Amino acid sequence: MLHPNQFQVNEAWIMFKINDTPIPTDRDGDFNLFALMDAASCFILSSLTISAKAEQLTKLEAKELLKKGWAHKQELPKTLFVPTHQAANALQFEAERQGITVARVPEDQLILFIGEAKTGFNERFGRGGMQ
């Protein structure tokens, strides 16, 4: 099981989808929210909304997510963790192009890092949370 104390700040990042179900909007349709988190601090470096119809980030969205993460310390991590079930071809390609090693791991290995963010978001904005 991975743990935040295994990492230094900015050594590893985690990309994950925060919401469990698509977030509905009247104007723009349903969307999903993806986040980039520092593994040591569990600080969310950046987030990006994409259409729920899209299965994964586009090349442009992948670049944007990494660029927003880089902006915090003008540094990229050595490793990017991505849940194995999450389609992330463009993100993996872009991360590797920038010299980042991508490690695909089961989401349950990341729950210690991302669990609080997912739970808090879904309680506030998930089905029934915006009443």
Side-chain angles (χ1 to χ4, degrees):
M1 179 71 85
L2 296 171
H3 193 278
N5 67 9
Q6 291 176 261
F7 304 99
Q8 298 295 317
V9 170
N10 222 48
E11 177 183 356
W13 293 349
I14 302 165
M15 189 286 290
F16 65 103
K17 185 172 81 165
I18 294 181
N19 56 300
D20 290 333
T21 58
I23 307 302
T25 66
D26 292 333
R27 195 175 101 199
D28 298 320
D30 295 354
F31 68 91
N32 289 315
L33 180 62
F34 288 86
L36 196 59
M37 174 184 280
D38 177 70
S41 64
C42 295
F43 178 77
I44 294 182
L45 300 162
S46 65
S47 62
L48 190 65
T49 58
I50 68 167
S51 169
K53 294 176 186 175
E55 292 184 24
Q56 61 181 303
L57 302 175
T58 65
K59 184 178 177 180
L60 185 62
E61 290 164 338
K63 282 183 178 185
E64 181 180 347
L65 193 65
L66 292 172
K67 183 177 179 181
K68 286 179 174 181
W70 175 86
H72 285 275
K73 294 204 180 255
Q74 288 73 52
E75 188 178 351
L76 292 170
K78 294 177 182 136
T79 306
L80 175 64
F81 292 106
V82 179
T84 50
H85 72 275
Q86 181 63 59
N89 296 339
L91 180 64
Q92 183 166 343
F93 176 83
E94 185 58 31
E96 289 173 346
R97 189 185 72 74
Q98 294 190 37
I100 303 167
T101 300
V102 177
R104 302 300 299 247
V105 296
E107 189 169 276
D108 64 351
Q109 293 276 325
L110 301 171
I111 206 68
L112 188 60
F113 302 89
I114 67 175
E116 188 175 329
K118 288 179 68 70
T119 299
F121 183 87
N122 286 296
E123 284 176 355
R124 175 83 169 106
F125 297 106
R127 300 225 188 267
M130 295 192 301
Q131 298 175 5

